[in-house]
Amino acid sequence: MKEMDNVKNWKQMVTPFLNSKAEELHLMGYNQATKEDVWDCLVERVWKGHPDKRIYEVVADIMHLNSSIYLSYLTVKSYENDDLKTSIAALLNT
């Protein structure tokens, strides 16, 4: 087994943990949480890209993802989506 690898290469192997974290977030009231959102949150907030990590580090990061970090990620994502919608609407109205 590989010692260290880029986190994106571990994604398929850690899918059960991503699903588990999404289910945990559902229990906390974040019903829109998906394994993809959890992964994207980790990439953008915890790992800041695609660093090299050992698999146990990736699993630990998934299982220790704090709901406040996830909420912050969703908030920023929501603002980015709103800005895009506003920009498109402004372009269409001119």
Side-chain angles (χ1 to χ4, degrees):
M1 182 186 273
K2 299 176 184 177
E3 282 292 315
M4 290 192 73
D5 203 352
N6 193 288
V7 291
K8 66 183 176 184
N9 296 329
W10 294 121
K11 184 177 180 183
Q12 185 174 1
M13 193 175 249
V14 299
T15 297
F17 298 98
L18 293 170
N19 288 331
S20 176
K21 180 52 77 168
E23 289 173 15
E24 177 186 329
L25 291 166
H26 290 173
L27 293 173
M28 298 173 79
Y30 300 104
N31 296 324
Q32 76 284 3
T34 65
K35 67 179 179 183
E36 289 301 320
D37 278 341
V38 171
W39 181 262
D40 292 342
C41 175
L42 288 160
V43 168
E44 292 180 26
R45 297 287 181 181
V46 176
W47 300 322
K48 310 279 193 263
H50 295 285
D52 289 342
K53 288 193 167 264
R54 291 178 172 83
I55 190 153
Y56 73 86
E57 294 172 315
V58 174
V59 170
D61 288 343
I62 293 168
M63 299 315 293
H64 290 119
L65 178 64
N66 192 316
S67 62
S68 63
I69 293 171
Y70 182 72
L71 178 59
S72 172
Y73 164 77
L74 289 180
T75 302
V76 170
K77 187 175 165 184
S78 172
Y79 285 133
E80 288 172 354
N81 289 340
D82 285 347
D83 290 343
L84 178 61
K85 290 177 188 174
T86 303
S87 298
I88 291 171
L91 288 172
L92 294 174
N93 290 331
T94 55

